[in-house]
Amino acid sequence: MSLPPPRLQMTGIARDYGGRRVVDDVSLDLTAGEVTCLLGPSGCGKSTTLRMAAGVERPSEGTIAIDGAPVADPGFALPPEKRSVGLMFQDFALFPHLDVARNVGFGLSRREEARVGELLDRVGLGAHHAKYPHELSGGEQQRVALARALAPRPAIMLMDEPFSGLDNRLRDEIRDATLDILREEGTAVLLVTHEPDEAMRMADKIALMRAGRIVQIGAPYTLYTKPADTAAAAFFSDVNVLAGRVEDGQTDTPFGPFLAPNMVDGTQVEIVFRPQHCRLDFDRPNAPVRPTVEHGIPARGTVTRARFMGNQSLVELAMDDGDARLKAIVPGIFMPPQGTKLVMSLRRDHAHVFPVGR
């Protein structure tokens, strides 16, 4: 049995502005009930990609299809209102002169008006149908915007930083409620965000974007544990980086050698590992430093700074071997004074070796 086509399919799309390419060779498939996050720093082209999916902009190259039917290429673009897409932005863009119910029902036929009350109940605003936008909190306005976007039953929901205007207290609650409703509706979702935590929390699939191109795409766990390069690893959390050079298929570090498969001798590399994958212990006089299978060879260092972060501590060390300055995250309270001698080891199976510049 053949599978249905993706709800939204972008193939090799690009977008030029004044001779400058801001989106380059982007391909994405969105399926029903799946949340895809387009993640990247400001200015990387992710919002432009979303606007091309919406029909607000036309691709300079490539094609866009919805349910297998072409909707855009360089010479043709179906208008946004004919694409069966819902749109949500950071600015909720509610009509100030319409109450909540009329905002949600705007553009619906009379026989569809019963859906307004149903959606307001689902977003927890059934009792606020007669209020106006200025009478609502930011979180309530966001939920009205969600109900309005879902009212015409779009096959695809396009969301551009929709939660960034909310304070931290509300953000997680509203994101989770939104995700539950979108999954119940079976909507295919493309969410643009610059926040890794938001992408990890909401996405079934993350497309990591940089300088107009997708550099890696996959499940959140895959992008976190198997990053494509140093920058991809660093986008999701702080990282430690050691410089090295390949000799005889490996590179030496204060923590012992690391294999550098498929790299020629002389290649400059970076050994990348996260602070939470490090372990610290006090450097006890006359006590031998023994390697372990899991953490390999420990290395000595001196504390330069320690900070308590709430439920964990961040400790920074200047390593004795070389000029590296590394960080470790330790659960709970661990605040050794500056100058304390410690021994650091790391989870070798969580470290990555990348060629410099990759």
Side-chain angles (χ1 to χ4, degrees), residues 3 17 23 39 56 105 109 143 180 212 245 258 284 289 301 324:
L3 295 175
Y17 287 122
V23 175
L39 173 67
V56 178
S109 65
R143 285 182 279 165
D180 289 342
R245 186 172 184 271
F258 283 80
R284 297 175 178 84
V289 177

Side-chain angles (χ1 to χ4, degrees), residues 262-345:
N262 304 318
M263 298 184 201
V264 300
D265 286 357
T267 301
Q268 300 296 320
V269 296
E270 294 173 325
I271 299 90
V272 180
F273 52 99
R274 302 184 191 279
Q276 56 266 42
H277 296 146
C278 298
R279 185 173 67 177
L280 297 178
D281 199 358
F282 290 101
D283 187 5
R284 297 175 178 84
N286 304 318
V289 177
R290 294 189 176 92
T292 65
V293 173
E294 185 178 50
H295 288 86
I297 300 171
R300 289 183 167 90
T302 303
V303 174
T304 58
R305 182 163 48 180
R307 289 172 286 174
F308 181 57
M309 310 291 287
N311 60 353
Q312 59 192 17
S313 301
L314 176 65
V315 182
E316 301 179 27
L317 292 89
M319 306 308 294
D320 292 358
D321 185 357
D323 57 359
R325 292 182 175 270
L326 304 179
K327 300 175 182 178
I329 290 177
V330 181
I333 302 173
F334 184 65
M335 300 285 288
Q338 184 176 0
T340 302
K341 295 290 186 180
L342 297 179
V343 175
M344 174 185 278
S345 55

Side-chain angles (χ1 to χ4, degrees), residues 30-41:
L30 271 67
T31 59
E34 181 180 74
V35 177
T36 298
C37 278
L38 196 55
L39 173 67

Side-chain angles (χ1 to χ4, degrees), residues 106-126:
F106 186 81
L108 296 183
S109 65
R110 294 185 65 86
R111 60 190 180 88
E112 294 175 311
E113 289 179 355
R115 182 161 166 79
V116 173
E118 171 197 331
L119 283 170
L120 286 176
D121 286 340
R122 289 177 68 185
V123 299
L125 294 175

Side-chain angles (χ1 to χ4, degrees), residues 39-321:
L39 173 67
S42 297
C44 73
K46 55 189 186 295
S47 291
T48 301
T49 300
L50 181 139
R51 289 197 295 270
M52 285 190 283
V56 178
E57 298 192 24
R58 181 181 296 180
S60 304
E61 295 178 8
T63 60
I64 301 172
I66 293 178
D67 289 339
V71 297
D73 61 31
F76 159 76
L78 196 68
E81 64 272 16
K82 295 185 178 180
R83 293 195 182 192
S84 188
V85 296
L87 300 172
M88 283 189 65
F89 300 97
Q90 178 180 347
D91 179 0
F92 306 136
L94 301 177
F95 298 113
H97 63 290
L98 299 181
D99 61 26
V100 166
R102 286 185 291 167
N103 261 285
V104 175
F106 186 81
L108 296 183
S109 65
R110 294 185 65 86
R111 60 190 180 88
E112 294 175 311
E113 289 179 355
R115 182 161 166 79
V116 173
E118 171 197 331
L119 283 170
L120 286 176
D121 286 340
R122 289 177 68 185
V123 299
L125 294 175
H128 299 273
H129 66 279
K131 289 187 176 180
Y132 286 82
H134 72 272
E135 300 177 289
L136 304 176
S137 67
E140 289 168 339
Q141 290 183 35
Q142 196 275 348
R143 285 182 279 165
V144 173
L146 172 63
R148 184 178 67 181
L150 287 171
R153 303 182 190 274
I156 299 159
M157 180 69 74
L158 305 176
M159 309 174 78
D160 193 358
E161 305 274 6
F163 309 108
S164 58
L166 303 177
D167 61 56
N168 290 334
R169 183 180 60 84
L170 278 175
R171 193 172 301 167
D172 288 347
E173 176 188 343
I174 298 298
R175 281 191 299 214
D176 289 348
T178 299
L179 187 59
D180 289 342
I181 292 170
L182 290 170
R183 291 198 192 283
E184 290 171 11
E185 290 280 318
T187 310
V189 180
L190 180 61
L191 170 67
V192 163
T193 181
H194 66 276
E195 296 185 14
D197 288 347
E198 183 164 272
M200 296 287 285
R201 188 182 188 105
M202 294 195 69
D204 299 296
K205 182 170 61 182
I206 295 175
L208 182 61
M209 200 167 185
R210 187 191 310 144
R213 298 181 68 91
I214 292 177
V215 296
Q216 189 173 6
I217 187 166
Y221 175 83
T222 301
L223 267 68
Y224 189 86
T225 59
K226 298 178 181 178
D229 52 29
T230 300
F235 200 82
F236 288 94
S237 78
D238 200 1
V239 294
N240 291 312
V241 180
L242 291 172
R245 186 172 184 271
V246 176
E247 295 291 345
D248 297 325
Q250 63 185 26
T251 181
D252 289 328
T253 76
F255 302 94
F258 283 80
L259 294 177
N262 304 318
M263 298 184 201
V264 300
D265 286 357
T267 301
Q268 300 296 320
V269 296
E270 294 173 325
I271 299 90
V272 180
F273 52 99
R274 302 184 191 279
Q276 56 266 42
H277 296 146
C278 298
R279 185 173 67 177
L280 297 178
D281 199 358
F282 290 101
D283 187 5
R284 297 175 178 84
N286 304 318
V289 177
R290 294 189 176 92
T292 65
V293 173
E294 185 178 50
H295 288 86
I297 300 171
R300 289 183 167 90
T302 303
V303 174
T304 58
R305 182 163 48 180
R307 289 172 286 174
F308 181 57
M309 310 291 287
N311 60 353
Q312 59 192 17
S313 301
L314 176 65
V315 182
E316 301 179 27
L317 292 89
M319 306 308 294
D320 292 358
D321 185 357

